[in-house]
Amino acid sequence: MPTTTTTSQVVTPVETPFYDVEKRLDDESIDDYDAVLFTVCDVFGRPRGKFAVGSGVKKFVKEGMEMPNTTCVLGFNSEVPKTVLRYSQAKASTCRMFPDLSSLRPLSWLCKEGRKVGQVLCDLYDSSKKPDPSSPREIAKRQVAALEKIGFQIMSAHETEFMMFHKGTLNPMGGNIHEIVNMYRLDGELSFLYDVMLGLLNSGIPVETQMEEFQPGQVEYSLQPQYGIKMADCVHRMRYIAKAIGDTGGFDSVFMTRPHAENQSNGYHLNHSLWTLDGKNAFYDPDGDHKCSEILRHWVAGLLLHGHALLALFNPTTNCYERLHGFFSPSDNVWNYDDRNARLRVKTKGKNVHIEDRSPSSACNPYLVLAGLIAAGMDGIVNKLECPAPREFRPLVEGDARGKPENPLPKTFDEALNALEKDTVLKTALGKEFIEDYIALCKEFQLEKLKDSLVKEPSERFEAARALFLYNL
């Protein structure tokens, strides 16, 4: 199935209104905080912002906080892009961050000795109060609003993997032991891991389980399902908090997809379902095949049709492609019922029908994953795209037709970016300006910088990738 360039009907973006200042100030809980960290998420998923203290907190809630107009599009070492002409050739200008007070949560490990410190997520606006076109949270909010406009809301829950190394080294927590769900492996660090989990919970992150994954030092957090933008907010904050608390214990929390050539990778499995506005699971049909509705099948058709282009958003670094086409990571752009070898694993236990998209990596920006997923799925629903038959793909079975991909996913970041560039549906939904910025940033700060190392032996290739991604994601 090739990547799409057109469909019969394009879902147009929904404009989200500028936040009303007085309505935001109705939330008096901001007065409980001695200091608040105001942050906006950049294109590569990193929080950028400033602390406000004392009386300044309420001032910045009302007036916004000034930031450079390049805040969301800086390189991995804060370089201003030369290839994004509206930044490189324009005079220096500023934007303003305005907070979404519904996202205000404590930073639990800083709340000591009677002080209360929090974080609030912001959206970036220009001087005329128009949303910045490269602000990922705003892009995701537009897609959530567009989905609600056609009668649905998305519920999602994420399984996020990352690795913990002793600070400044590549020595994994718990030693170099390859085991999965073996509690002995990290027994010596259980007290610290418990502190991390409590820190996340007390900072408003809805952690459900923590699991020891196969890779040495690798942990996975599964989060409780949330509606709309809330899950992306939780994942974005979780990464920041895991890094901060890890640092206090002498560990680096690493979300780079694959730090070592010889080891396994970090994934980011996205479980999701659609619900009607009156609270019914739109993916569930008691009379459908495997209890799956036509809405689910149209949604799957959209995700598959745009699968190659989505990969550029779901796997946003060159290093991400070291994970794909491997053990229990997607190779073929197909779906199947409860099958970990398929990109889309449709789970049909009871009435809890939902989809696990196994293609995103730990390095992804959760807002761009959510935005791309909704845009692609809505194309399937709005245009009633026909869902292909499920496929049993078995990559490890030799001499079997099931082991040959029918619709292989891109094997390089360059290939995925080319697919995104050609996908007019995603361009329209996410914003042509944003897609052009994103592709330019990835080419300038990754493909160009790493072009020599990408063709070298694994040891040199991974060394160059670590220099760029290990501490910058």
Side-chain angles (χ1 to χ4, degrees):
M1 181 185 295
T3 302
T4 186
T5 55
T6 59
T7 60
S8 56
Q9 181 179 349
V10 174
V11 179
T12 56
V14 173
E15 285 294 325
T16 55
F18 182 75
Y19 289 118
D20 180 81
V21 170
E22 297 306 321
K23 185 177 180 181
R24 293 203 316 277
L25 288 174
D26 285 343
D27 190 336
E28 296 181 357
S29 65
I30 194 79
D31 294 332
D32 298 336
Y33 286 83
D34 301 293
V36 174
L37 177 62
F38 290 67
T39 63
V40 64
C41 178
D42 75 6
V43 165
F44 294 121
R46 301 160 300 184
R48 295 189 179 273
K50 305 176 186 178
F51 263 112
V53 182
S55 61
V57 172
K58 204 156 189 176
K59 170 188 174 184
F60 290 119
V61 168
K62 187 171 183 177
E63 299 177 3
M65 186 173 283
E66 189 174 283
M67 297 290 280
N69 71 329
T70 53
T71 295
C72 286
V73 293
L74 295 172
F76 289 99
N77 295 303
S78 292
E79 310 98 319
V80 175
K82 297 178 181 178
T83 54
V84 182
L85 299 183
R86 63 192 182 91
Y87 295 116
S88 62
Q89 294 184 0
K91 66 177 183 179
S93 59
T94 59
C95 287
R96 299 193 83 79
M97 296 192 304
F98 282 91
D100 177 353
L101 286 190
S102 70
S103 71
L104 178 64
R105 299 290 186 275
L107 296 175
S108 61
W109 72 98
L110 296 179
C111 296
K112 299 176 181 178
E113 301 174 355
R115 66 175 181 251
K116 191 169 183 181
V117 181
Q119 179 187 19
V120 66
L121 303 178
C122 301
D123 297 298
L124 202 62
Y125 295 86
D126 64 20
S127 58
S128 60
K129 295 184 178 179
K130 290 183 179 179
D132 184 276
S134 290
S135 179
R137 189 171 189 266
E138 174 63 27
I139 293 167
K141 284 167 53 184
R142 287 203 308 267
Q143 292 308 301
V144 170
L147 184 62
E148 290 182 356
K149 192 175 180 181
I150 65 170
F152 302 103
Q153 53 186 333
I154 190 167
M155 178 187 284
S156 59
H158 299 242
E159 303 166 25
T160 304
E161 298 170 350
F162 62 99
M163 296 172 189
M164 301 194 81
F165 297 113
H166 290 275
K167 194 158 188 64
T169 76
L170 292 176
N171 300 322
M173 172 189 286
N176 193 33
I177 302 172
H178 291 80
E179 281 274 15
I180 189 167
V181 295
N182 184 341
M183 297 307 296
Y184 285 130
R185 193 189 81 188
L186 297 179
D187 189 57
E189 307 295 346
L190 281 181
S191 177
F192 173 70
L193 288 172
Y194 184 65
D195 288 343
V196 175
M197 189 156 52
L198 281 183
L200 290 167
L201 286 167
N202 292 334
S203 299
I205 308 301
V207 175
E208 191 167 62
T209 64
Q210 175 202 293
M211 184 177 86
E212 280 60 67
E213 266 288 355
F214 179 75
Q215 177 65 33
Q218 186 179 38
V219 295
E220 174 189 284
Y221 284 111
S222 295
L223 305 186
Q224 297 172 8
Q226 305 285 310
Y227 281 114
I229 198 73
K230 290 182 180 179
M231 181 51 64
D233 285 345
C234 288
V235 174
H236 174 60
R237 294 188 66 242
M238 188 206 77
R239 288 169 59 165
Y240 168 68
I241 294 168
K243 282 179 174 290
I245 298 179
D247 186 69
T248 66
F251 293 99
D252 291 318
S253 299
V254 171
F255 290 84
M256 179 181 175
T257 304
R258 190 173 180 180
H260 294 285
E262 63 275 12
N263 290 344
Q264 298 297 316
S265 307
N266 292 315
Y268 171 92
H269 297 162
L270 172 56
N271 296 280
H272 67 281
S273 54
L274 294 189
W275 292 70
T276 61
L277 300 184
D278 60 356
K280 296 177 182 177
N281 186 346
F283 282 176
Y284 172 72
D285 180 354
D287 299 321
D289 184 28
H290 286 74
K291 300 181 181 179
C292 294
S293 69
E294 284 302 306
I295 292 295
L296 179 144
R297 296 178 191 282
H298 292 318
W299 182 266
V300 166
L303 297 188
L304 293 179
L305 187 61
H306 298 281
H308 291 201
L310 286 175
L311 212 66
L313 299 173
F314 291 6
N315 292 268
T317 74
T318 57
N319 179 254
C320 295
Y321 296 79
E322 306 280 2
R323 163 182 170 261
L324 298 170
H325 302 273
F327 181 67
F328 277 163
S329 61
S331 300
D332 206 7
N333 185 32
V334 296
W335 75 284
N336 200 9
Y337 298 108
D338 201 19
D339 186 350
R340 284 185 169 88
N341 288 298
R343 178 201 147 200
L344 301 178
R345 179 188 180 194
V346 176
K347 302 179 182 180
T348 58
K349 184 178 180 180
K351 294 183 179 180
N352 184 25
V353 177
H354 63 283
I355 300 169
E356 177 186 11
D357 191 333
R358 298 175 62 80
S359 61
S361 88
S362 62
C364 71
N365 182 326
Y367 296 113
L368 298 184
V369 170
L370 179 65
L373 183 92
I374 294 176
M378 277 200 301
D379 185 36
I381 291 175
V382 170
N383 293 300
K384 299 187 184 304
L385 299 181
E386 184 177 351
C387 186
R391 186 184 183 223
E392 187 178 341
F393 176 57
R394 294 292 176 264
L396 301 181
V397 179
E398 296 182 3
D400 191 316
R402 295 176 301 167
K404 184 178 180 180
E406 290 183 350
N407 183 26
L409 289 164
K411 292 187 176 182
T412 67
F413 195 20
D414 193 31
E415 185 182 345
L417 287 172
N418 288 336
L420 179 61
E421 196 166 23
K422 296 174 183 176
D423 196 315
T424 57
V425 171
L426 292 187
K427 269 189 177 180
T428 300
L430 305 187
K432 182 174 181 288
E433 201 168 28
F434 163 72
I435 294 296
E436 290 175 350
D437 285 359
Y438 179 78
I439 292 172
L441 286 171
C442 292
K443 289 183 176 180
E444 179 176 351
F445 295 131
Q446 293 190 61
L447 298 185
E448 183 61 29
K449 284 192 174 184
L450 297 173
K451 63 182 179 181
D452 293 331
S453 66
L454 290 175
V455 296
K456 292 184 177 180
E457 292 299 313
S459 60
E460 295 178 272
R461 188 170 74 245
F462 276 84
E463 183 179 0
R466 284 195 298 270
L468 194 57
F469 304 127
L470 190 66
Y471 302 121
N472 287 325
L473 291 170

